Structures are given as structure tokens and as C-alpha cells.
Amino acid sequence: MADEKIPDEGAVEKAGRWAADLAEKVMVNGVGPITGSVTWAEDRLSRRQGADYRAPEDDERRSPEDMKDDIDAVVARLIKESVAAAGTQGFITGLGGLLTAGVTIPANVAASLAVNMRMAGAIAHLRGWNIGDPHVRTVAMMLAIGMSAQNVLASFGVKVGQKFGEQMIKKIPIAVIRAINKKAGTHLVAKYGSKRAAITLAKGVPILGGLVGGAVDAGATAVIGRATDKALRDGTLRGEEPK
């Protein structure tokens, strides 16, 4: 197609670094009106458990497996809240204004990606992953931008069907993680770096999902949330066997 071209190498690297930095911001500290992934997830878990809630550093805190019913319910709530945020144009516009990315990604897209990254980080945390680790954040970030579990596994050199846990991820040199972030940059630029990506409806609501399979609209946020949860359950990343 005439409007398709190979992403510029510099733009790809820039997008990859931006995505990794954004993931750290929204997952660890939060940005603008949204709190970080762990703070958000723990708040919702404490509301669910009430007097039975124990903070992560509490020796009496149960394992994710022992809290499965509660965590399942909280994950569903986190996805629901993220879908609501992604579908609220005023919220997305305001958040996008805080994300001066300097990359060829529209502000409304950046804001929606931030919502999805925060959601992915919260799900990863509840499923037993340590998102304080940059290796883990890379996994959550790749899922949040719409990459399939199969593609994430392939980026790490793992065969589909194999379980890929946090301890395995931490053995990967950080230089390799940077190269993997670059793949995420390729994904972002390919999907959102063209003129078509900026096309919006009358009220400015992005319609990337219908045009280029983007992960921007609220419906896509729901899909990404469910896919992320499925991929990260039991503290392992898993892709489906080819049928």
C-alpha cells in the first residue's frame, strides 16, 4: 500500500524508550490523576477483603493462589474501571496533555496506552509479578500495547507452549531488554506513526481500532485486560499452542 512504509530506525528506538519510560511512570508512581499500578491494585483488593486484607509486606498475607477468588474479582474491577477511563474523552484528553512524548504518537493515543499500561501493571502485580523490576515491566508493557502473548514470548526467545516465569526473565541481560523494548517501539510506530492513526471522529474519539487494529478504544482496553490476565496467571507468561 502507498501509505505503508518501513518505520524509521530512529523513530522506532525513540518510541521504544518512550514506551518503557511511560510504563515505569504509570506502573510505579502514577501520572497526573492516576495512581501507580500497585497502589491502585492494593486499594481495590483492600476494599474487597475488608478486615481480612493484608498489605504486601505483611507476613500474614496470603499467596495469590490462596486469594484467587478475591484477585479474580479485583482484576475484573480493574478492567472495568480502565474501560470506563479509556472511554471518557475528557479524561483521556487531559491525561494526554501530561504525556509530552516527543514521538509520532497522538496525545490521545498516548493517554489510552497509559491507561492500558497501568491496568497491565496492576494485573501483573496481583498475579504475583514484581513490577518494580524493569524486566517484568517490559512484559506488562508489551501486553498493554496490544502485543499477543505469543509475540511477547517470541521476543524473549521462548517457544509457544513453554511457561516463562519471573525468575527466568530476571536472568536476561538488561541490554537484551532494551533490544526487546525496541521491538515494542516498532509495534507502536507501525500502528500509530502514520497519518491514518490521527484520524478521529467528530468529537475526537480515536477510531484506531477499526482502522489499524489499535489498542486505543474502550473495547480494545477490555480485550487487552482479559488477554493480559490470561497470559500472566500463576506467575508465568504463557502463549497458546497453535491450533
mmCIF file of all heavy atoms in Angstrom, residues 61 100 111 136 164 169 193 214 238:
data_model
loop_
_atom_site.group_PDB
_atom_site.id
_atom_site.type_symbol
_atom_site.label_atom_id
_atom_site.label_comp_id
_atom_site.label_asym_id
_atom_site.label_seq_id
_atom_site.Cartn_x
_atom_site.Cartn_y
_atom_site.Cartn_z
ATOM 1 N N ARG A 61 0.142 -12.119 54.892
ATOM 2 C CA ARG A 61 -0.543 -12.004 53.601
ATOM 3 C C ARG A 61 -0.543 -13.355 52.892
ATOM 4 O O ARG A 61 0.468 -14.051 52.823
ATOM 5 C CB ARG A 61 0.134 -10.975 52.719
ATOM 6 C CG ARG A 61 -0.589 -10.771 51.356
ATOM 7 C CD ARG A 61 0.120 -9.688 50.585
ATOM 8 N NE ARG A 61 -0.315 -9.535 49.205
ATOM 9 C CZ ARG A 61 -1.074 -8.542 48.760
ATOM 10 N NH1 ARG A 61 -1.528 -7.624 49.594
ATOM 11 N NH2 ARG A 61 -1.377 -8.441 47.478
ATOM 12 N N THR A 100 3.934 14.487 27.241
ATOM 13 C CA THR A 100 4.622 15.127 26.123
ATOM 14 C C THR A 100 5.695 14.178 25.622
ATOM 15 O O THR A 100 6.859 14.266 25.977
ATOM 16 C CB THR A 100 5.240 16.458 26.569
ATOM 17 O OG1 THR A 100 6.043 16.236 27.741
ATOM 18 C CG2 THR A 100 4.147 17.467 26.894
ATOM 19 N N ALA A 111 -2.359 8.688 25.946
ATOM 20 C CA ALA A 111 -3.152 8.595 27.170
ATOM 21 C C ALA A 111 -3.821 7.231 27.293
ATOM 22 O O ALA A 111 -3.850 6.634 28.373
ATOM 23 C CB ALA A 111 -4.201 9.696 27.191
ATOM 24 N N VAL A 136 10.099 -7.203 34.214
ATOM 25 C CA VAL A 136 8.676 -7.505 34.323
ATOM 26 C C VAL A 136 7.844 -6.391 33.695
ATOM 27 O O VAL A 136 6.846 -6.655 33.016
ATOM 28 C CB VAL A 136 8.277 -7.715 35.801
ATOM 29 C CG1 VAL A 136 6.764 -7.856 35.943
ATOM 30 C CG2 VAL A 136 8.982 -8.948 36.366
ATOM 31 N N PHE A 164 6.990 -19.195 31.065
ATOM 32 C CA PHE A 164 8.088 -18.242 31.182
ATOM 33 C C PHE A 164 7.854 -17.417 32.422
ATOM 34 O O PHE A 164 6.999 -16.536 32.432
ATOM 35 C CB PHE A 164 8.119 -17.371 29.920
ATOM 36 C CG PHE A 164 9.335 -16.492 29.793
ATOM 37 C CD1 PHE A 164 10.607 -16.989 30.024
ATOM 38 C CD2 PHE A 164 9.192 -15.159 29.436
ATOM 39 C CE1 PHE A 164 11.720 -16.187 29.880
ATOM 40 C CE2 PHE A 164 10.299 -14.337 29.292
ATOM 41 C CZ PHE A 164 11.574 -14.859 29.510
ATOM 42 N N ILE A 169 12.987 -14.411 33.506
ATOM 43 C CA ILE A 169 13.084 -13.085 32.913
ATOM 44 C C ILE A 169 14.245 -12.308 33.521
ATOM 45 O O ILE A 169 14.999 -11.621 32.826
ATOM 46 C CB ILE A 169 11.769 -12.308 33.105
ATOM 47 C CG1 ILE A 169 10.647 -12.953 32.288
ATOM 48 C CG2 ILE A 169 11.922 -10.852 32.700
ATOM 49 C CD1 ILE A 169 9.292 -12.354 32.535
ATOM 50 N N GLY A 193 2.132 5.484 14.017
ATOM 51 C CA GLY A 193 3.001 6.523 13.492
ATOM 52 C C GLY A 193 2.606 7.058 12.130
ATOM 53 O O GLY A 193 3.275 7.928 11.588
ATOM 54 N N GLY A 214 -5.668 -0.980 16.393
ATOM 55 C CA GLY A 214 -5.020 -0.372 17.545
ATOM 56 C C GLY A 214 -5.676 -0.721 18.857
ATOM 57 O O GLY A 214 -6.812 -1.190 18.917
ATOM 58 N N ARG A 238 2.379 -17.202 29.418
ATOM 59 C CA ARG A 238 2.128 -18.352 28.572
ATOM 60 C C ARG A 238 1.373 -17.958 27.322
ATOM 61 O O ARG A 238 0.515 -17.084 27.343
ATOM 62 C CB ARG A 238 1.348 -19.440 29.331
ATOM 63 C CG ARG A 238 -0.019 -19.009 29.809
ATOM 64 C CD ARG A 238 -0.655 -20.095 30.662
ATOM 65 N NE ARG A 238 -0.018 -20.185 31.961
ATOM 66 C CZ ARG A 238 -0.035 -21.262 32.710
ATOM 67 N NH1 ARG A 238 -0.642 -22.355 32.290
ATOM 68 N NH2 ARG A 238 0.542 -21.285 33.887
#
